């Protein structure tokens, strides 16, 4: 593997020198091809994925917790996974026969086994497929995600040292390197999964975030991250043809876990083993909406004295619809919020450290104000004691909950 990487590294630098002498449009041609391949691949494969989902009974039926009013298949991740494979094949052919630059080159301080990284993608996707079909319990589902993320970490995709942006000694993670990396990747996989509650929401947020990651990676010369990001962008944009309201297919866990994991991997590929603190903050800003939604959910559920894994109807998209927005409008609002955070992240990479901190604080403040307005910290699962003295949870559909809401509003007035 070392000889292969050495050869690839030499080829990369040879291609880069020739690459720099070409016309400007040639810099973008390989990535444009990856984007179009992933987009067309999803458009072609999604109808087949829908048939597969129906065959295996992977269908979301209407319920109190779900927004859809009719049964909808949920294995859209199959089409996205196939599209990523197709983009990889096009990249290989372009590098082999068309003189495209080699992209599977890790940063100077990393030694990545890309075969192992590809295996981790397959494992994460497989866990999602199994969950779509058999509805796994949280524990085995989490174990599968940890296995996939561990494969990536032990393939070399890690951050071992965090540089101090203000100078001084860096923080060496030491033995925590692998646990921190695994936790990071598992968390990224799940934040996209948690916001997948409206037609086109998760795929649109992933598309915007992936495009921003592509711009950042391309400008930084991180071609492996740029190639993966632009393929993700094309795949998610194409999937919106079937997934935007009214959706004919959902991502399912096969799609949402794959997208979140891919964004996490892309963000780590964009940095070196030694990463600045503000460099690590950028990916968190790009995925700000799902991360904030997860944080708000944890706060709500702790306030309601229930497990953080307990589902509720207090996510950002639920709150927007309670405020009177329809599905399309709620999704567009969250897309806009995501685009604002991504624009802020791009700005943070172009300014000095003190300005970067100010931009970050402004983004946090704006998000906090919107969260307060939408009552994202307010529990949507309240406790009510029955006549027999038993404690049971009530939801927004229950009269007791509505009475409590009126009392809170009158008290606040």
């Amino acid at each position: 593997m070392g000889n292969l990487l050495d050869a690839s590294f030499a080829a990369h630098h040879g291609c880069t020198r020739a690459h720099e002498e070409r016309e400007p449009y040639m810099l973008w041609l390989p990535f444009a091809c990856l984007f179009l391949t992933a987009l067309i691949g999803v458009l072609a494969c999604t109808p087949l994925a829908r048939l597969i989902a129906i065959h295996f009974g992977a269908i979301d039926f209407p319920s109190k917790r779900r927004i859809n009013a009719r049964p909808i298949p949920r294995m859209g991740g199959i089409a996205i996974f196939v599209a990523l494979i197709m983009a990889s094949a096009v990249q290989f052919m372009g590098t082999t026969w068309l003189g495209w630059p080699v992209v599977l080159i890790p940063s100077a301080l990393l030694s990545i086994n890309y075969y192992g990284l590809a295996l981790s993608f397959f494992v994460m996707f497989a866990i999602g497929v199994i969950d779509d079909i058999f509805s796994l319990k949280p524990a085995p589902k989490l174990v599968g995600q940890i296995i996939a993320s561990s494969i990536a970490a032990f393939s070399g995709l890690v951050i071992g040292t965090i540089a101090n942006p203000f100078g001084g000694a860096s923080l060496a993670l030491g033995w925590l390197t692998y646990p921190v990396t695994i936790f990071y990747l598992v968390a990224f996989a799940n934040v996209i999964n948690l916001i997948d509650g409206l037609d086109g929401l998760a795929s649109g947020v992933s598309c915007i975030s992936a495009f921003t990651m592509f711009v950042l990676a391309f400008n930084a010369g991180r071609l492996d991250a740029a190639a993966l990001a632009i393929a993700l962008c094309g795949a998610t944009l194409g999937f919106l043809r079937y997934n935007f309201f009214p959706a004919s297919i959902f991502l399912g866990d096969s799609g949402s876990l794959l997208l979140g994991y891919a964004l996490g991997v892309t963000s780590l590929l964009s940095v070196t083993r030694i990463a600045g603190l503000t460099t690590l903050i950028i990916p968190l800003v790009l995925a700000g909406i799902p991360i904030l939604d997860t944080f708000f959910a944890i706060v709500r559920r702790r306030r309601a004295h229930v497990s953080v894994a307990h589902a509720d109807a207090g996510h950002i998209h639920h709150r927007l619809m309670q405020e009177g927005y329809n599905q399309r409008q709620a999704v567009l609002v969250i897309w806009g919020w995501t685009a604002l955070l991504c624009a802020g992240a791009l700005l943070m990479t172009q300014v000095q450290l003190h300005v970067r901190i100010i931009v970050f604080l402004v983004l946090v403040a704006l998000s906090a104000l919107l969260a307060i307005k939408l009552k994202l910290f307010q529990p949507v699962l309240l406790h009510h004691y029955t006549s027999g003295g038993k404690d049971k949870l009530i939801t927004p559909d229950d009269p007791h909950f509505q009475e409590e809401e009126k009392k809170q509003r009158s008290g606040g007035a």
Side-chain angles (χ1 to χ4, degrees):
M1 186 63 189
N3 293 334
L4 176 60
L5 287 178
D6 289 340
S8 299
F9 185 76
H12 168 67
H13 281 278
C15 290
T16 300
R17 285 192 294 270
H19 191 58
E20 292 172 348
E21 297 173 357
R22 297 175 184 174
E23 295 295 330
Y25 75 89
M26 290 297 292
L27 297 173
W28 297 92
L29 180 61
F31 296 107
C33 291
L34 295 182
F35 173 83
L36 290 174
T37 299
L39 187 148
I40 295 171
V42 162
L43 290 175
C45 294
T46 301
L48 177 60
R50 190 173 185 277
L51 293 176
I52 294 173
I54 294 173
H55 174 76
F56 284 101
I59 299 173
D60 280 345
F61 291 94
S63 67
K64 286 187 176 181
R65 285 191 55 239
R66 302 189 183 280
I67 303 296
N68 53 300
R70 57 189 176 85
I72 297 180
R74 61 168 181 261
M75 292 179 72
I78 293 176
I80 291 178
F81 186 70
V82 172
L84 293 180
I85 293 176
M86 292 172 64
S88 299
V90 167
Q91 175 63 49
F92 174 79
M93 291 186 289
T95 302
T96 304
W97 296 310
L98 301 177
W100 290 4
V102 177
V103 299
L104 296 185
I105 301 294
S107 61
L109 298 177
L110 281 177
S111 179
I112 298 176
N113 183 328
Y114 288 102
Y115 298 112
L117 193 58
L119 175 62
S120 74
F121 270 84
F122 175 78
V123 172
M124 185 65 74
F125 168 69
I127 290 299
V129 169
I130 294 172
D131 187 50
D132 282 341
I133 297 174
F134 299 106
S135 298
L136 293 174
K137 292 183 178 180
K141 184 175 171 181
L142 178 61
V143 169
Q145 295 168 22
I146 292 174
I147 292 173
S149 301
S150 298
I151 294 172
F154 285 99
S155 296
L157 188 68
V158 295
I159 297 174
T161 303
I162 299 178
N164 187 342
F166 303 101
S170 299
L171 174 63
L173 296 179
W175 66 270
L176 289 174
T177 295
Y178 292 98
V180 168
T181 301
I182 292 168
F183 174 82
Y184 180 91
L185 291 174
V186 170
F188 245 98
N190 281 282
V191 293
I192 297 298
N193 186 36
L194 285 173
I195 66 163
D196 188 21
L198 292 182
D199 296 358
L201 179 55
S203 47
V205 167
S206 298
C207 182
I208 296 169
S209 299
F211 179 75
T212 309
M213 286 187 179
F214 164 72
V215 174
L216 293 172
F218 183 85
N219 289 338
R222 298 296 317 121
L223 300 187
D224 49 0
L228 177 55
I230 200 63
L232 280 174
C233 185
T236 47
L237 184 62
F239 188 67
L240 283 171
R241 159 68 178 79
Y242 304 96
N243 187 231
F244 193 55
F245 184 83
S248 60
I249 188 172
F250 290 153
L251 280 170
D253 277 14
S254 59
S256 59
L257 288 177
L258 177 64
L259 288 180
Y261 182 71
L263 290 174
V265 168
T266 302
S267 68
L268 291 185
L269 287 173
S270 296
V271 300
T272 65
R273 185 180 178 86
I274 300 178
L277 180 61
T278 52
T279 303
L280 293 177
I281 288 176
I282 298 297
L284 303 182
V285 174
L286 297 180
I289 297 301
I291 290 173
L292 287 171
D293 198 30
T294 303
F295 172 70
F296 299 147
I298 293 172
V299 173
R300 281 196 315 272
R301 293 165 191 176
R302 295 304 300 167
R303 290 188 63 195
H305 308 294
V306 298
S307 168
V308 294
H310 197 297
D312 65 21
H315 292 284
I316 293 174
H317 53 275
H318 290 125
R319 295 298 198 186
L320 285 170
M321 294 187 72
Q322 289 166 16
E323 291 291 320
Y325 293 89
N326 60 34
Q327 275 215 53
R328 284 177 180 266
Q329 293 168 337
V331 168
L332 291 175
V333 167
I334 298 176
W335 285 3
W337 191 355
T338 301
L340 174 64
L341 292 177
C342 288
L346 288 173
L347 178 61
M348 288 172 65
T349 64
Q350 304 298 315
V351 296
Q352 297 297 321
L353 177 60
H354 64 283
V355 180
R356 193 178 303 178
I357 294 173
I358 292 173
V359 172
F360 176 73
L361 293 177
V362 168
L363 293 175
V364 170
L366 290 175
S367 297
L369 287 174
L370 186 55
I372 293 171
K373 177 176 174 57
L374 293 177
K375 303 175 183 177
L376 294 177
F377 293 105
Q378 181 177 314
V380 294
L381 293 171
L382 300 179
H383 289 268
H384 170 67
Y385 288 93
T386 64
S387 57
K390 293 184 178 180
D391 180 24
K392 73 170 185 177
L393 290 171
I394 59 175
T395 69
D397 297 326
D398 296 307
H400 290 290
F401 185 94
Q402 296 167 8
E403 290 176 10
E404 185 67 25
E405 283 270 287
K406 291 179 182 178
K407 288 179 182 178
Q408 291 180 3
R409 289 174 182 172
S410 60

